[in-house]
Amino acid sequence: MNKDILVCGVGGQGTVLASKLIASAAMDNGEVVHSAETIGMAQRGGSVTSHIRIGDEIYSPLIPKGHADMIIAFEPAEAVRNLSYLKKDGIVIVNKQPVKPVTESLQDTGYDGVEMIEYMQKKCECIVVDAKSICEPLGSSKFFNVAILGVAVGSGKLGISKEWMVKQIETRVNAKFVEKNMQAFEAGIKVVQ
Amino acid sequence: MKKEYVMGNGAIALGAMAAGVNVVAGYPGTPSSEIIETISKYNNGDIHLEWSINEKAAMEVAAAAAYTGARTMVTMKQVGLNVASDPLMSLAYVGVKGGMVVVSADDPGPISSQTEQDTRLFGSFCKIPVFDPSTPEEAFEMIQDAFEYSEKYKTPVLFRPTTRVCHGYASIEVAESYDTKKHGDFEKDSSKWVIFPRLSFENHAMIEKRNPKIGADFSEYKYNSVRGNGKKAVFAGGISYAYAMEYLKDKDDVKVCKIGTPFPFPEDFVLRVLEGVEEVLCFEELHPFIEEELLKLVGKHHLNIKIRGKHTGDVALSGENSSESAREVISSFLGLSDSCEQIDLSDMPKLPVRPPVLCAGCPHRASFYAVKEAMKGKKAIFCGDIGCYTLGNAMPLDMVDTCLCMGAGITMAQGFNWTHDDCTNFAFVGDSTFFASGMTGVANALYNEADMILCVLDNSTTAMTGHQPHPGTGRNMMGDVVDKISIQSVLEGMGVKKIETVDPLDFEKAVNVVKECAEMKGVKAIIFKSPCIAIVKSDKKMTISDKCINCKKCIREIGCPALITVDGQVTIDSSLCTGCGLCSHICPVKAIGGECNE
């Protein structure tokens, strides 16, 4: 399997966990995986990305622009920021809830994510996820990253089956939160089925 | 054997352990910090592991240990090597007995650094070998080789990964456990270990004779490699080789040469590569190091080969390379069209900017705001330093006027004191930076009778690089609980007469302390003590009552990420708020209340 997957969001949204789950699911199935994370100053409320590259013939740790099969975005503007990485026939799974930057509160430009979503829908195949409402029955929005991962798996285009991912959630997530994460994951899968 | 999926820094750590490293010392700095953290995770206690107070201390600890025959490693980011350059320069003359590898991680971009300096140049400056890995997998093996070469030639060696290698993840095959090297005791010999002009003169000559031999040895080294054929050749090193190969993997009619050991340059190997080549492109980041070595080589051997790269304007002189820049530069070199099917994004909407900011509830915000409030309307200069608190420069706080290097704020405040008669000069320094290189600056101020206010922002951790312990935290990397070094006692011992310790979240008191210090002459110190909010999780929240007149003063004054507007109305984002309560002191109508941390 050759797949390039980019996970993006804002510092603190859980991109690292999501990318670890994808990478380990692929590895458990014998794939060669490389990935790269944003670390350091940008983690403080800045834009963060994880690049996951599955396949043998990989050299660069970062996905070359125009090569990503899928972008999993936890925030609309971050999806657009990374859209140049997407293949022409690639797909974006995007959460519709915006995260306003601090500068937005100081100088209101009215950023609400809507323009971003509309732009992407014009440019590529796009699944827009209302992660907040998916997670509402769970009583916490904390697990929304795993819900979006559920949508990505459910779309059938991630190249990772439901069973593989369930195994990762069961073994790699803090035991206290496995049940909630599983519910979020299942809820995400249902969105696309 | 088992497989571990690790970061490049983890691969370096495991490689050093596979080489039997006995002593590891370093100072945190992105992108190098996770090397020591990984060793800490796997260490059974046989390896002496430490966060030293700074890179110079780390270098000296490791040097002495290597004199005994032990294998030692020092880790730092590239600017840390500037701090450690004094011992390294002399150590290059003296040499070592056990293998000693100095890991200095470069940061092209720069992504989180002050400079775009190139550690390879440090290698040629000190005349010691340099290893330059291009992937995490290679780093794991190469660092083991680095120990071998260091021991073989009795010299410290440099190992310089760059950010994308340090932070890239890959699978590494490792043993269940590794044994440390057996080594003897230090053998006294003052003609060998005491640096005097005579020894330096003799060893300088020895090094000049030795280095071409290392270059010849490196000519047979597996990580200096070539693939493909043709009259054109691309030379690359480190991560740039990976970017180049991403474009060239299917092309056989061009030679692609990887330089894994840029110094001493593997001349014999490169001369073999250059046979039949008419034109070369050097694709590398930071300094045109390989390019200049090639220019020297073709000059020395009167070869009629055109060398292209940074000096010819083909490759960017600054910033990092990428797969895209590799495709653009190499396709033009080969005379091919640079085509890649991409979505047309020329009409992209304006994206919100997300500069890094102090976290919601960060005590540094309160410290900065207390000083700002106390000095309102008065002339003051605010010297910053290296750490999370450099972010105090952002609007609306705007409380960092200078930032140069580790510890510089304290001494720079003194420089302003000697050039301004009518100004209060502040230095902000974090607790880890205070121990790293702040103490000498305080002694300088006392001795030379400067007027200044030292603000130690003590959050009991090294926050920016990932919460490493330091002498003030009472924990070390061997897992031991040790006596905390009290910053207050250090300052008292030096003779600072006015020292105040205050919780910055006790806002009114904090403002008054600053005002009081600003009225006094001499060196004054305020220790703003409150733990890093990323460590001490708080579930307290502030709330806004209907008294709010929506004046937005809270947002305008402190720029806390938890203060947002929803449909034009000031709101507290309860998922971010930690209840620090700073905003409640700003509200003119006292509309902000709640369960506050004060």
Side-chain angles (χ1 to χ4, degrees):
Chain A
M1 178 167 83
N2 273 305
K3 281 256 182 236
D4 285 328
I5 299 145
L6 189 143
V7 184
C8 60
V10 176
Q13 281 193 309
T15 54
V16 174
L17 175 69
S19 86
K20 284 218 164 116
L21 291 172
I22 295 169
S24 54
M27 265 186 294
D28 270 11
N29 284 279
E31 302 287 350
V32 177
V33 181
H34 288 86
S35 56
E37 312 276 1
T38 313
I39 284 157
M41 201 180 243
Q43 285 173 294
R44 308 269 182 273
S47 305
V48 292
T49 56
S50 293
H51 293 238
I52 305 153
R53 310 204 66 194
I54 304 170
D56 297 329
E57 275 270 283
I58 298 298
Y59 289 91
S60 165
L62 302 179
I63 300 168
K65 290 192 171 163
H67 277 246
D69 298 280
M70 179 184 276
I71 290 177
I72 300 174
F74 295 157
E75 207 280 341
E78 295 315 306
V80 176
R81 201 186 303 280
N82 289 289
L83 208 53
S84 60
Y85 286 98
L86 194 70
K87 259 186 191 162
K88 268 201 149 170
D89 56 351
I91 182 170
V92 178
I93 314 281
V94 57
N95 178 26
K96 68 185 269 193
Q97 274 83 41
V99 176
K100 293 190 180 196
V102 178
T103 47
E104 180 67 25
S105 298
L106 287 170
Q107 202 173 29
D108 204 343
T109 60
Y111 169 66
D112 60 4
V114 175
E115 187 188 3
M116 302 293 159
I117 300 279
E118 286 170 358
Y119 181 72
M120 279 184 283
Q121 284 169 330
K122 276 195 308 204
K123 295 286 173 179
C124 58
E125 191 182 350
C126 197
I127 299 178
V128 181
V129 185
D130 186 349
K132 203 170 160 188
S133 69
I134 296 177
C135 289
E136 231 155 48
L138 305 177
S140 168
S141 58
K142 232 168 53 186
F143 310 104
F144 86 98
N145 54 349
V146 177
I148 293 170
L149 207 53
V151 178
V153 169
S155 76
K157 295 195 172 167
L158 185 61
I160 286 169
S161 73
K162 183 182 163 186
E163 291 69 33
W164 299 1
M165 194 56 85
V166 166
K167 205 178 127 201
Q168 297 309 318
I169 296 172
E170 283 169 353
T171 52
R172 299 198 181 256
V173 170
N174 183 338
K176 275 197 294 192
F177 303 119
V178 167
E179 201 190 316
K180 287 277 184 196
N181 273 296
M182 281 306 301
Q183 287 170 7
F185 181 67
E186 293 283 352
I189 285 190
K190 267 191 210 129
V191 172
V192 270
Q193 280 175 351
Chain B
M1 297 296 272
K2 58 179 178 180
K3 273 206 163 176
E4 295 270 347
Y5 189 63
V6 289
M7 196 191 271
N9 282 336
I12 292 167
L14 289 163
M17 291 181 78
V21 72
N22 303 93
V23 172
V24 181
Y27 188 77
T30 312
S32 71
S33 311
E34 297 81 4
I35 303 172
I36 282 186
E37 291 177 340
T38 304
I39 293 189
S40 163
K41 202 173 125 194
Y42 290 90
N43 189 10
N44 62 4
D46 288 348
I47 299 171
H48 171 76
L49 180 66
E50 67 171 54
W51 283 125
S52 306
I53 61 151
N54 61 33
E55 295 85 353
K56 173 173 147 66
M59 187 75 76
E60 292 152 350
V61 167
Y67 284 5
T68 68
R71 286 193 164 183
T72 69
M73 178 168 71
V74 197
T75 76
M76 63 200 68
K77 68 183 297 176
Q78 87 286 41
V79 287
L81 192 58
N82 302 337
V83 176
S85 63
D86 192 4
L88 181 62
M89 198 71 196
S90 296
L91 188 65
Y93 281 73
V94 173
V96 290
K97 185 176 174 193
M100 174 166 169
V101 180
V102 178
V103 180
S104 168
D106 283 346
D107 185 25
I111 298 167
S112 33
S113 298
Q114 303 94 301
T115 69
E116 274 202 299
Q117 65 192 70
D118 192 323
T119 293
R120 295 175 300 173
L121 281 174
F122 241 113
S124 64
F125 181 49
C126 303
K127 302 181 191 295
I128 58 172
V130 183
F131 292 80
D132 187 7
S134 68
T135 64
E137 293 95 325
E138 203 171 282
F140 174 71
E141 293 200 0
M142 202 185 246
I143 196 156
Q144 300 178 54
D145 301 334
F147 279 102
E148 293 293 331
Y149 281 100
S150 169
E151 232 156 64
K152 182 174 173 185
Y153 292 101
K154 301 191 178 349
T155 176
V157 302
L158 278 164
F159 187 89
R160 81 102 195 203
T162 54
T163 307
R164 301 299 182 187
V165 173
C166 291
H167 291 168
Y169 280 76
S171 290
I172 309 285
E173 194 136 317
V174 295
E176 291 299 323
S177 68
Y178 291 108
D179 293 330
T180 51
K181 187 194 166 191
K182 303 267 181 297
H183 60 88
D185 289 341
F186 175 56
E187 290 170 27
K188 293 189 183 188
D189 181 352
S190 65
S191 70
K192 198 171 174 184
W193 306 119
V194 180
I195 192 163
F196 264 120
R198 177 155 189 87
L199 175 85
S200 305
F201 173 74
E202 284 170 2
N203 283 4
H204 183 192
M206 177 277 291
I207 289 164
E208 297 295 355
K209 257 205 238 162
R210 174 201 72 193
N211 278 355
K213 286 184 198 156
I214 300 180
D217 206 351
F218 281 164
S219 282
E220 310 304 322
Y221 182 49
K222 65 179 170 182
Y223 289 122
N224 293 316
S225 63
V226 64
R227 70 188 286 284
N229 288 293
K231 292 177 180 169
K232 290 192 175 190
V234 174
F235 275 69
I239 196 70
S240 294
Y241 176 77
Y243 296 143
M245 280 303 292
E246 194 71 39
Y247 177 68
L248 292 166
K249 58 188 169 193
D250 303 321
K251 297 180 178 64
D252 292 329
D253 53 351
V254 51
K255 285 186 177 175
V256 190
C257 180
K258 173 166 66 183
I259 299 297
T261 57
F263 189 86
F265 202 58
E267 294 189 0
D268 301 341
F269 162 73
V270 172
L271 285 171
R272 291 198 294 272
V273 174
L274 292 178
E275 275 170 31
V277 170
E278 292 170 0
E279 199 174 15
V280 168
L281 174 74
C282 297
F283 186 66
E284 59 193 315
E285 288 171 324
L286 307 175
H287 191 79
F289 191 93
I290 298 172
E291 186 178 341
E292 288 178 0
E293 289 294 328
L294 280 167
L295 285 167
K296 270 193 266 179
L297 198 63
V298 297
K300 202 160 108 180
H301 294 269
H302 301 284
L303 302 176
N304 188 19
I305 300 173
K306 190 171 166 50
I307 309 293
R308 286 166 61 175
K310 292 181 186 243
H311 285 301
T312 51
D314 290 280
V315 179
L317 282 157
S318 60
E320 66 170 337
N321 287 335
S322 62
S323 298
E324 292 75 40
S325 65
R327 191 179 64 222
E328 191 190 319
V329 172
I330 300 171
S331 64
S332 139
F333 172 66
L334 298 177
L336 302 172
S337 71
D338 167 25
S339 66
C340 174
E341 285 261 298
Q342 259 174 270
I343 300 168
D344 174 22
L345 299 172
S346 52
D347 55 347
M348 187 185 282
K350 197 166 171 271
L351 297 170
V353 283
R354 299 192 195 277
V357 288
L358 293 171
C359 302
C362 174
H364 297 336
R365 179 178 288 105
S367 304
F368 280 125
Y369 192 67
V371 176
K372 189 174 189 175
E373 194 60 16
M375 298 310 293
K376 206 175 247 178
K378 295 184 183 125
K379 197 169 169 188
I381 297 177
F382 307 110
C383 299
D385 221 300
I386 309 284
C388 282
Y389 50 97
T390 316
L391 298 175
N393 79 317
M395 298 305 272
L397 278 176
D398 190 20
M399 281 296 286
V400 175
D401 294 323
T402 68
C403 177
L404 188 65
C405 66
M406 289 285 287
I410 299 175
T411 17
M412 292 184 82
Q414 298 162 42
F416 288 123
N417 177 62
W418 304 125
T419 43
H420 289 73
D421 295 331
D422 54 345
C423 180
T424 310
N425 299 298
F426 287 82
F428 293 92
V429 68
D431 39 347
S432 183
T433 307
F434 176 80
F435 289 113
S437 54
M439 296 185 288
T440 47
V442 178
N444 195 66
L446 290 161
Y447 173 54
N448 291 301
E449 301 178 283
D451 291 323
M452 65 169 290
I453 300 179
L454 169 69
C455 297
V456 183
L457 306 179
D458 183 358
N459 62 357
S460 301
T461 189
T462 318
M464 181 58 103
T465 47
H467 300 108
Q468 291 81 10
H470 62 66
T473 64
R475 282 182 300 117
N476 66 25
M477 287 310 272
M478 296 306 287
D480 296 332
V481 175
V482 295
D483 286 341
K484 293 181 187 180
I485 300 180
S486 148
I487 295 174
Q488 168 134 3
S489 303
V490 170
L491 295 171
E492 281 167 3
M494 283 188 183
V496 179
K497 301 284 186 304
K498 174 76 176 172
I499 307 169
E500 293 285 341
T501 298
V502 62
D503 179 351
L505 301 181
D506 187 350
F507 188 67
E508 270 152 43
K509 187 174 170 201
V511 173
N512 287 334
V513 164
V514 179
K515 282 183 178 163
E516 194 188 320
C517 288
E519 294 302 314
M520 296 171 70
K521 284 277 178 200
V523 179
K524 290 84 59 180
I526 305 167
I527 302 170
F528 287 103
K529 201 166 173 55
S530 183
C532 174
I533 198 66
I535 294 186
V536 189
K537 301 279 180 204
S538 163
D539 47 18
K540 294 177 179 161
K541 310 281 171 213
M542 302 306 291
T543 50
I544 299 182
S545 74
D546 52 13
K547 278 197 286 186
C548 174
I549 52 169
N550 216 25
C551 67
K552 298 188 184 158
K553 187 180 177 198
C554 51
I555 291 177
R556 276 198 322 272
E557 289 285 300
I558 56 172
C560 173
L563 287 166
I564 52 170
T565 52
V566 175
D567 301 328
Q569 179 68 41
V570 178
T571 311
I572 288 173
D573 182 342
S574 63
S575 69
L576 292 176
C577 180
T578 66
C580 81
L582 180 61
C583 52
S584 68
H585 297 284
I586 289 149
C587 181
V589 294
K590 302 278 166 228
I592 306 178
E595 206 189 349
C596 151
N597 258 338
E598 281 173 42

